[in-house]
Amino acid sequence: MKRSNSIGNGGGFSGSHMRSVSGSRQSLALGRPSQPIFSRASLGPNMAEAGMSSVKRSSFQNPPGSTIKSYASGSVPMRNSENERRSSVYRSRTSTNGPGNHQSFFQQAPQAAGVPRDPRPLKDRSFQARIGQELLDYLSQHNFEMEMKHTLSHNIIKSPTQKDFNYMFQWLYHRIDPSYRFQKNIDQEVPPILKQLRYPYEKSITKSQISAVGGQNWSTFLGLLHWMMQLAQMLEGYSCNRYDEACIESGIDVSGDHIIFDFLSSAYRDWLAMDEDAGDDDAERVLAPHVKDMARAFEQSNSKYLSELEMLEAENARLLKEIEDLEKSTPDPRILDNNFKIMEEDKVKFEEYNALALSRSDKYENRIQLLQEELDKLMQELKEAEEERRSLQKEVDNQGISMQDIDRMTSERERLQKGIEAATQRLDEGKKKVAEKEMEASRKLDELERLVDRYNTVAYQIGLIPSTAVNAKGESYELTVTVNESDFTGSIMKGSYSSGGSERLLADPVTGYQPAHILNLDLRGHVKNNFLALRKEISDRRTAAMDAMMKDHDLLDGIKEAIEDKRNEVEALEHRVRAAEEEYEKTKEVTTTQKLASDAQIEKMEKELAKMRTQLTESVQLMEQREMNTNIEYEQLKLRADALREELHTEIERMLNDIIKFKVHIQKNLEDYEGFVADELEKELGSDEMNDDTHSLDI
């Protein structure tokens, strides 16, 4: 951490003696960490001790007022003071132990790989007009044109110029980081700034687009400027404690955090303003007023809670008294508990009875509804039967049939109905038997088809199908079932035969298939003789193959014996190899031991060399620090000499003015005195003349 003192423009200081303010895009402030969690267990005197210890400088650190840089790590590069720029963004300082994790105030969840997609409808004209108007309102409210000395046209939202974007970007970023100074081209400044601000869509912006923001790319940069405006508004609200009410509503009191932050900022500012040779006692003396102010602020903050606590204690006492009075005025709680239990049991029983009664009521209502529907149907049927009876009675009366004729016709109809039922029953039995036979015939036919398929498969495997196969010898041995392809429907079950259609089990509507008509080949005659001849031929070929196999077995036995001999030779060679490996292991152990010894010697020498390098680096750093301290002392002495010279000149000028004033005063007094003497002389001379005249008159 460097501390820069305000020394004006530097007068005649050279660039090599100027203090480095900060690194490129680096700041005097630490990195923005996550919100600190301060322990509020005790806000008494220990808080003052904690505040004092939090800003006390350690004895092994560099003096906070010095510009001496830590050289604990050789990997930290020297900063060029001429090319450095000051930035007040709250970011992590350079660690003496190498680069660390950069924790930002704008920290977000890790982004996925690739270019993220902006969910905002930036291509929408209405959305562009809305955010553009918000941006223009913000710029006009905060005196953009006066600060940047640049006038924005009314058409800037639709067709801006590169200069307009540059000025708006610089102004908005100065709202976020007021101490940052732009020195490079805008296409080189924007990408690192966007990475630093954690802009979610900075990967979708290229340098070429930054150099030409108009046209199709303007919507992207308009969204960027609107995002920076919202970020600036959020920071302004955070600095003005605008979100404290939301924290209080969430049950979080941040007043203590504000007090501690004010203490740290003011104490750190005074600590930086101290001389470089100031000790711990001076630091404690400077920080003591801040600690007292912090303790006073905590007391003021706690007074509100103390008053609330007193009010709550009084309310608690009043409620306790009311509880005591109620306990005295109420009857025995045991009796009330027993009555309450009895009433609870009665309530449960009543609820069960009520539920049962409701279920019965619903059940009876449903039953009544069903019975009413049945009654309505019966009444309708009765009405229809009555009408039918009347119509029949009317027809009978019109025909002139007597009651004896009607009874005779009724008995005849019953006899015919019984005969029809008996015939129908016999027909159903016949249909059932026919269906069983058809099902059995269908199963047999399906079994025959499966056997034919298996036959064809085996024949294809042994080379009998097709006719061009090896064992077919030009003849076709493929079996097919020659039946109708229509599905089995059981025409007898339908009660009639279909004269136009053909059934699968029937060659015609009344005749079935003969066994010789179902298959296309004569299996017992021609096919069987050919298969016997093929079996004999295959047996002869098998015998020849067995003889050849025996010869091959004999040859294989001879080869096995030769392999066994070779295996014995290989075992002997392996034994020799093992002996050579043992010798190699011994040699390797000796070599390894020698190598370890040499490595230890090399490591020792490297440590000594590193130690020497460290000592040399420390010496160089010490000399550089001494040189920097000497330059700083020279600068301070020169400043003091200039100040002393100016003070002496001022004192001499004041003395000369006093002398001149004194001289003028003396001259004026002398002139007055001379006039006084002349007047007195004239008076004396006048009195003498008057005396002479009087004397002459007397004479």
Side-chain angles (χ1 to χ4, degrees), residues 66-80:
S66 68
T67 58
I68 299 174
K69 187 177 179 180
S70 176
Y71 294 91
S73 175
S75 61
V76 179
M78 290 290 290
R79 296 177 180 174
N80 189 354

Side-chain angles (χ1 to χ4, degrees), residues 75-205:
S75 61
V76 179
M78 290 290 290
R79 296 177 180 174
N80 189 354
S81 61
E82 296 179 357
N83 297 327
E84 289 175 346
R85 289 171 288 172
R86 179 182 178 87
S87 174
S88 63
V89 173
Y90 206 52
R91 60 175 74 84
S92 62
R93 63 179 178 179
T94 305
S95 174
T96 57
N97 294 326
N101 294 330
H102 182 81
Q103 181 73 19
S104 172
F105 179 77
F106 314 105
Q107 187 69 34
Q108 296 178 350
Q111 297 182 357
V115 179
R117 181 179 177 273
D118 195 340
R120 297 175 293 180
L122 297 178
K123 299 297 182 181
D124 188 0
R125 294 292 183 182
S126 60
F127 183 76
Q128 291 181 10
R130 182 174 64 81
I131 64 176
Q133 188 62 38
E134 292 178 1
L135 181 61
L136 287 178
D137 295 341
Y138 181 77
L139 295 176
S140 62
Q141 290 173 4
H142 294 82
N143 300 326
F144 166 79
E145 296 181 351
M146 184 180 297
E147 293 180 5
M148 301 302 294
K149 296 179 176 61
H150 178 72
T151 303
L152 297 176
S153 63
H154 296 287
N155 202 23
I156 187 174
I157 300 304
K158 296 181 179 179
S159 58
T161 62
Q162 184 68 33
K163 189 176 181 180
D164 294 335
F165 171 75
N166 295 348
Y167 279 118
M168 286 191 291
F169 183 85
Q170 293 177 7
W171 186 82
L172 286 172
Y173 188 65
H174 280 152
R175 301 288 298 180
I176 300 171
D177 184 4
S179 301
Y180 187 84
R181 293 197 299 272
F182 289 86
Q183 295 182 355
K184 298 180 181 179
N185 294 332
I186 194 67
D187 58 346
Q188 297 180 3
E189 294 277 6
V190 172
I193 288 176
L194 295 183
K195 287 185 179 179
Q196 174 184 338
L197 293 180
R198 296 294 192 272
Y199 183 59
Y201 318 111
E202 56 91 11
K203 292 184 179 179
S204 62
I205 300 176

Side-chain angles (χ1 to χ4, degrees), residues 580-596:
E581 288 178 351
E582 292 176 358
E583 185 66 24
Y584 167 74
E585 291 294 335
K586 292 180 181 179
T587 307
K588 184 178 179 181
E589 290 178 0
V590 174
T591 307
T592 304
T593 304
Q594 295 176 356
K595 181 177 178 298
L596 291 174

Side-chain angles (χ1 to χ4, degrees), residues 674-690:
E674 186 177 356
F676 174 74
V677 171
D679 294 338
E680 291 293 329
L681 182 60
E682 289 178 356
K683 290 179 180 180
E684 290 180 358
L685 291 176
S687 62
D688 291 341
E689 290 178 356
M690 290 178 66

Side-chain angles (χ1 to χ4, degrees), residues 621-670:
Q621 293 174 358
L622 183 60
M623 296 303 295
E624 290 178 353
Q625 291 176 358
R626 288 181 180 177
E627 181 184 1
M628 294 175 68
N629 288 330
T630 304
N631 292 332
I632 294 168
E633 291 176 0
Y634 170 74
E635 293 174 3
Q636 293 178 352
L637 289 174
K638 191 172 181 180
L639 289 174
R640 292 176 184 175
D642 292 340
L644 182 60
R645 187 183 295 108
E646 186 69 23
E647 184 179 356
L648 292 175
H649 288 170
T650 305
E651 186 67 22
I652 291 170
E653 185 177 358
R654 185 184 62 79
M655 292 172 67
L656 289 174
N657 291 331
D658 293 341
I659 291 170
I660 292 170
K661 290 179 181 179
F662 183 71
K663 179 182 177 182
V664 171
H665 179 69
I666 294 297
Q667 288 179 353
K668 185 178 180 182
N669 290 335
L670 288 174

Side-chain angles (χ1 to χ4, degrees), residues 61 77 93 170 215 274 327 377 471 515 689 699:
Q61 294 177 341
R93 63 179 178 179
Q170 293 177 7
M274 292 173 59
E327 288 178 351
K377 290 180 181 179
N471 298 323
E689 290 178 356
I699 294 175

